[in-house]
Amino acid sequence: MANGPERTANRDNKPQLSLHVPEPNYRPGAEEVDFSAIEVPEAGAQPRPDEACEPEETHGLCTDLIRVLGDDNRAHGPWDPKLEPELLREMLHHFALVRAFDERMFRGQRQGKTSFYMKCTGEEATSISTSMALQPDDMVFPSYRQQGVLIARGYPLIEMINQIYSNSGDKLKGRQLPIMYSSREHSFFSISGNLATQTPQAVGWAMASAIKNDTRIAATWVGEGSTAEGDFHAACTFASVYQAPVILNVINNQWAISSFSGFAGGEQATFASRAIGYGLAGLRVDGNDPLACYAAEKWAADRARTNSGPTLIEFFTYRAEGHSTSDDPSGYRSAQERDAWPLGDPVVRLKNHLIELGEWDEERQAEMDLKAAEKVKKDTKEAEKNGILGHGMHQPFHTMFEDVFEDEPWHLKEQNEQSQRERDTKYPDGVPH
Amino acid sequence: MSDTANKAADKPKQGRDATGEDRRLNMIEAINDALDVSMEKDDNVVVFGEDVGYFGGVFRCTAGLQEKYGKSRAFDTPISECGIVAAAIGMGAYGLRPVPEIQFADYIYPGYDQIISEAARLRYRSAGEFTAPITIRSPFGGGIFGGQTHSQSPESLFTHASGIKTVIPATPYDAKGLLIAAIEDNDPVIFFEPKRIYNGPFDGFFDRPVKNWKTHPDSVVPEGHYRIPLGKARLVTEGDQLTVLTYGTMVHVAKAVLEEKGIEADILDLRTLVPLDMEAVEKSVKKTGKCMIVHEATRTSGFGAELSALVQERCFYHLEAPIARVTGFDTPYPHSLEWAYFPGPVRIGAALDKLLSE
Ligand SMILES: Cc1ncc(C[n+]2csc(CCOP(=O)(O)OP(=O)(O)O)c2C)c(N)n1
Ligand SMILES: [Mg+2]
């Protein structure tokens, strides 16, 4: 063997090394899932430093868990954002819409209407409640699981469905995988399939805003698994060096496809505590507590907006469904985890809070859920008039060559013409829709 | 690695299972088999990547390996392609023989610096003191409605760098033998697996029922250890009308189109792009006098450009017509217009008609 390892003789009886490979507590078929080892501090018990504080003052919060909503369904402590019931109902409405949307689109994929879908079930608060704490023109750089941001910003569902179906109404011209939205109008950056690339880009946008003495800030979302990418660490370094007006939201939903958070370094340290080494402000938040999510994001937004520096926030939550329509989680995790999750469901928690406040009831909830489902159904039917992916190609072939460059160079012109000839050969009677 | 392949005990058994039936595998099973055989044979072989360990890979190529060989030899990694490749280089420096997986070729770029600047040049810069005997496996190519980030064919980004071999199998039989050879090779190898043909020899006619590997002759995969040498092309069909140079999924597409058109051609499945089997290429082109190159990757600076230059340099006086290149278009891989992008039967057919009428 030319390259065999040359192990030196262990003459002085040194200890033998062994490799640590993380292992989650539960795998399929686990007898009983017990999450009691996860520390869930009392709601309201976490201190809230001033938004303009030194980063160090937040570092205790990097291993704590900011919680507002208690088991009594009431808001507690200094992080209570004291939102008006009207705003809370709006939040609840966004929750209902996202959940109904996810259900229907997932089913649509199963029915062959499109190629792919991803739900955000259980994590709704981390995108809806957070983005409601931002200004509508703050720039967001999302990952693929932030449909909640778009919906909270009022992006029309029908546009989302057109994109998911890659149909003739898709303003991204059927080019992108379903859910890879983009809306400049909603200050929502084009989603990339390549993990974590958006994180340092958000920092760059925020730096530009600072260069131009603008007032807008940037926020970005990244999965806990994706924080292993170098891009995330570049983002932290740039954010720290330039004190960029940016919020780095890390969504720790415990899983990255089949890999639990231990494979991103979550066994040895919290994701929020990454902030400590980079000298960033850091917060660790109950991601299933909509009020805490709102409050933390608002704190970070106010901090950024007053030139007081960037913040890294870990939202501690749980991916209640599979990674995507291509995934079957029963192959790698226990199905009981979802129910055993100690932080509950964000939709239920917000609903119960409003009921506790006397501002809501189950009947209105049922009616709202029904309306949400009907709205999604109606918009789906409407979008289907523009076609579904399962039924063929809805974009003219020439669109394939547009936007590669601003102008079409000669070689793309030639290929464009070639594609038209090929179309006429293959489909002499027209392309089927 | 010493050459033990000729020992009688290591001779491939015939492609039959215990009951005397042909042992038929799809591409995923064949790759899994190759990894299993390699890990069994050499305990320096380690396999790792995103979702590779417990779950066995998002395409299931590493299924069962962790269970069989333990967590120190088949394991999950953080989502860092840079880290995956770099760790493989470090393990290789120790003396292991790592076989990392990059979940999709489209996600190899964060590891590109480690591949190009490090793995590919380690032997050269250390004058042979250190080497990177690693095999980076990665599914590549389109045809699965994966959009622009699950469809790319970036092979020419690797063939352009010196010091790294590029291998692309087109059948289960070859996938196993080539992967074992790649793992046992002392140089770094990029092993791109055409994911469109993982489950069946897709022939480009996307609107017809998909065939299954189990009826294809090249799905008969012997048990045990066998190697297909790197740098050797495979003659898929023989004919005098032209030479088709191709690899991966496009081998099956080209073959189907030629059959439909009743054209008799030498189809060369290159199998290894670097080092290329130039002898086989020259021999065939000099015989037929016409050459067509087919790949799914974008055209400009694609591997077809290299092939075309080589054929022109070495077979010019035998050529009866300009060399034809059939490729993907120079655009990102579109989601819904996937089949308009793909160099399928229509594009190949038109190029054939033109080439044969010259
Ligand atoms: C650079 C890169 N590597 C790998 C992938 C494949 N991939 C897609 S999603 C995913 C898991 C991401 O997990 P996480 O960051 O935790 O986000 P979540 O899915 O939980 O929201 C992987 C490995 C990718 N898209 N991009
Ligand atoms: Mg995750």
Side-chain angles (χ1 to χ4, degrees):
Chain A
M1 153 115 6
N3 284 279
E6 303 155 28
R7 215 176 311 178
T8 47
N10 188 5
R11 285 205 191 85
D12 30 354
N13 276 327
K14 291 178 187 139
Q16 260 189 15
L17 303 172
S18 64
L19 187 71
H20 172 69
V21 179
E23 185 61 34
N25 289 327
Y26 305 105
R27 287 297 193 186
E31 291 261 308
E32 195 187 347
V33 169
D34 176 5
F35 280 131
S36 57
I38 295 178
E39 277 178 51
V40 181
E42 209 174 313
Q46 300 73 42
R48 183 183 185 283
D50 188 76
E51 288 88 341
C53 71
E54 290 300 318
E56 294 75 56
E57 282 186 54
T58 65
H59 290 170
L61 289 166
C62 292
T63 50
D64 206 330
L65 195 67
I66 297 171
R67 306 180 74 232
V68 173
L69 275 178
D71 294 338
D72 57 1
N73 296 320
R74 295 193 156 269
H76 298 274
W79 285 94
D80 177 6
K82 302 205 161 55
L83 302 178
E84 292 296 327
E86 194 47 46
L87 195 79
L88 293 177
R89 278 191 293 266
E90 187 188 325
M91 196 182 280
L92 195 63
H93 180 248
H94 294 323
F95 282 8
L97 209 52
V98 168
R99 220 160 248 199
F101 189 75
D102 276 359
E103 275 311 312
R104 184 141 198 122
M105 292 302 108
F106 189 91
R107 213 156 8 105
Q109 191 277 344
R110 289 289 186 257
Q111 293 164 346
K113 292 179 183 175
T114 191
S115 55
F116 183 76
Y117 191 70
M118 296 178 110
K119 291 177 163 186
C120 66
T121 313
E123 307 171 33
E124 290 89 347
T126 64
S127 53
I128 293 171
S129 310
T130 50
S131 56
M132 288 177 75
L134 300 172
Q135 295 293 313
D137 59 352
D138 287 335
M139 187 70 188
V140 302
F141 288 76
S143 90
Y144 46 69
R145 227 182 277 285
Q146 274 75 52
Q147 52 265 56
V149 174
L150 267 184
I151 287 183
R153 286 194 164 183
Y155 190 67
L157 291 189
I158 193 160
E159 298 272 12
M160 295 172 80
I161 307 168
N162 285 337
Q163 197 281 329
I164 289 165
Y165 286 166
S166 271
N167 66 19
S168 62
D170 174 13
K171 69 185 187 62
L172 304 183
K173 305 186 181 174
R175 289 178 188 148
Q176 277 274 56
L177 198 67
I179 64 123
M180 300 284 176
Y181 314 107
S182 175
S183 181
R184 194 181 179 101
E185 197 189 329
H186 296 79
S187 300
F188 186 98
F189 192 65
S190 154
I191 299 174
S192 172
N194 299 60
L195 295 172
T197 50
Q198 75 279 11
T199 327
Q201 294 164 355
V203 178
W205 195 98
M207 287 168 64
S209 191
I211 290 168
K212 288 295 192 183
N213 310 123
D214 199 333
T215 59
R216 292 172 296 164
I217 64 167
T220 180
W221 281 254
V222 72
E224 92 293 339
S226 307
T227 63
E229 292 283 6
D231 302 54
F232 173 76
H233 299 273
C236 292
T237 306
F238 274 65
S240 174
V241 167
Y242 297 103
Q243 290 295 295
V246 67
I247 308 171
L248 309 175
N249 297 305
V250 175
I251 308 303
N252 178 6
N253 62 6
Q254 314 303 320
W255 291 94
I257 311 184
S258 76
S259 305
F260 84 116
S261 60
F263 280 101
E267 262 186 344
Q268 315 295 347
T270 67
F271 291 94
S273 65
R274 305 287 184 264
I276 301 172
Y278 289 106
L280 302 168
L283 307 174
R284 187 161 177 270
V285 179
D286 175 350
N288 291 15
D289 177 340
L291 297 188
C293 291
Y294 182 98
E297 195 78 4
K298 184 77 167 67
W299 185 93
D302 289 345
R303 179 177 176 83
R305 222 179 289 288
T306 51
N307 247 341
S308 308
T311 306
L312 188 160
I313 311 178
E314 171 185 353
F315 295 92
F316 195 71
T317 179
Y318 187 77
R319 196 195 77 207
E321 296 274 354
H323 173 72
S324 71
T325 47
S326 311
D327 179 43
D328 175 10
S330 71
Y332 53 80
R333 70 179 189 185
S334 165
Q336 292 174 49
E337 280 194 9
R338 178 181 179 161
D339 292 332
W341 186 244
L343 299 176
D345 176 88
V347 181
V348 174
R349 285 175 74 183
L350 182 59
K351 180 191 78 176
N352 289 346
H353 175 54
L354 269 162
I355 292 174
E356 177 67 25
L357 291 177
E359 294 285 348
W360 197 244
D361 53 51
E362 293 287 359
E363 262 162 49
R364 277 198 274 176
Q365 179 72 32
E367 193 186 330
M368 187 175 76
D369 286 342
L370 193 68
K371 275 201 177 135
E374 276 169 2
K375 156 99 181 129
V376 172
K377 188 173 174 187
K378 188 174 141 279
D379 286 357
T380 305
K381 290 263 175 290
E382 198 58 32
E384 283 179 13
K385 289 183 189 157
N386 299 323
I388 56 173
L389 178 69
H391 287 174
M393 300 183 267
H394 305 283
Q395 275 72 31
F397 283 25
H398 65 82
T399 61
M400 191 165 37
F401 301 91
E402 293 165 0
D403 305 318
V404 178
F405 298 99
E406 187 171 15
D407 302 313
E408 216 166 278
W410 66 267
H411 66 292
L412 286 183
K413 281 205 178 83
E414 279 186 16
Q415 292 175 18
N416 191 341
E417 284 156 20
Q418 182 184 350
S419 81
Q420 315 292 322
R421 287 194 301 275
E422 291 177 4
R423 179 201 57 203
D424 297 342
T425 308
K426 172 92 187 161
Y427 306 109
D429 305 321
V431 180
H433 291 294
Chain B
M1 170 145 289
S2 62
D3 193 349
T4 51
N6 290 328
K7 277 200 314 200
D10 282 355
K11 274 257 169 67
K13 305 187 179 57
Q14 289 308 303
R16 306 212 189 286
D17 65 18
T19 61
E21 292 292 307
D22 283 341
R23 181 173 182 261
R24 289 186 178 274
L25 304 184
N26 66 28
M27 199 103 151
I28 292 168
E29 293 161 339
I31 287 162
N32 186 263
D33 196 20
L35 292 169
D36 187 8
V37 166
S38 299
M39 292 178 86
E40 176 94 55
K41 184 158 184 272
D42 179 358
D43 67 7
N44 291 313
V45 174
V46 289
V47 165
F48 52 92
E50 296 158 18
D51 304 295
V52 156
Y54 181 87
F55 188 55
V58 295
F59 289 103
R60 321 294 302 140
C61 288
T62 56
L65 298 177
Q66 184 174 80
E67 209 175 342
K68 187 161 175 192
Y69 298 102
K71 288 207 295 180
S72 324
R73 292 189 59 203
F75 50 89
D76 291 312
T77 63
I79 303 175
S80 168
E81 293 73 15
C82 167
I84 292 168
V85 177
I89 295 171
M91 291 178 202
Y94 179 91
L96 301 190
R97 206 163 271 281
V99 191
E101 173 181 302
I102 300 295
Q103 197 164 84
F104 287 88
D106 315 62
Y107 301 138
I108 205 165
Y109 309 119
Y112 194 62
D113 187 38
Q114 287 286 347
I115 299 172
I116 302 301
S117 313
E118 303 298 316
R121 298 191 209 141
L122 191 54
R123 178 187 296 283
Y124 193 79
R125 80 181 194 217
S126 70
E129 240 180 19
F130 291 100
T131 60
I134 66 179
T135 300
I136 303 171
R137 293 180 39 248
S138 191
F140 90 129
I144 60 158
F145 280 102
Q148 53 193 277
T149 58
H150 303 89
S151 306
Q152 295 163 37
S153 298
E155 63 272 17
S156 72
L157 298 181
F158 298 92
T159 59
H160 188 58
S162 21
I164 185 153
K165 297 178 179 174
T166 302
V167 177
I168 299 174
T171 69
Y173 177 83
D174 280 2
K176 177 171 174 183
L178 287 168
L179 182 53
I180 291 174
I183 293 170
E184 294 177 359
D185 196 284
N186 288 327
D187 285 312
V189 178
I190 289 278
F191 192 86
F192 279 138
E193 301 166 2
K195 60 181 167 301
R196 186 61 179 85
I197 57 171
Y198 266 158
N199 289 303
F202 174 67
D203 63 7
F205 290 90
F206 63 88
D207 36 14
R208 293 184 197 167
V210 183
K211 290 192 193 95
N212 186 303
W213 271 119
K214 309 279 157 129
T215 57
H216 192 284
D218 295 324
S219 72
V220 178
V221 176
E223 275 175 25
H225 181 279
Y226 68 92
R227 289 198 272 194
I228 293 173
L230 306 188
K232 287 276 172 241
R234 171 176 73 106
L235 195 58
V236 182
T237 58
E238 261 187 277
D240 292 332
Q241 285 177 274
L242 80 154
T243 300
V244 179
L245 305 179
T246 187
Y247 48 90
T249 304
M250 301 315 295
V251 169
H252 304 280
V253 182
K255 182 162 176 278
V257 178
L258 291 167
E259 265 165 25
E260 285 237 326
K261 286 183 160 288
I263 296 167
E264 298 196 337
D266 276 4
I267 300 181
L268 270 183
D269 170 4
L270 298 173
R271 302 199 291 198
T272 306
L273 305 190
V274 174
L276 182 69
D277 189 350
M278 200 56 221
E279 202 183 314
V281 172
E282 263 183 75
K283 189 169 158 224
S284 174
V285 175
K286 284 179 178 166
K287 177 185 85 175
T288 64
K290 292 188 173 178
C291 177
M292 175 169 181
I293 297 157
V294 186
H295 62 59
E296 191 184 333
T298 46
R299 185 178 189 84
T300 301
S301 302
F303 194 67
E306 180 62 30
L307 289 171
S308 174
L310 284 167
V311 169
Q312 188 275 144
E313 284 163 5
R314 289 157 186 257
C315 311
F316 182 76
Y317 295 107
H318 298 263
L319 286 174
E320 295 158 20
I323 300 158
R325 267 192 295 162
V326 183
T327 68
F329 292 132
D330 285 321
T331 77
Y333 218 106
H335 178 244
S336 72
L337 290 178
E338 172 153 292
W339 297 124
Y341 175 91
F342 187 84
V346 175
R347 195 168 313 156
I348 294 172
L352 276 173
D353 293 346
K354 180 157 184 286
L355 184 59
L356 293 179
S357 67
E358 306 258 4

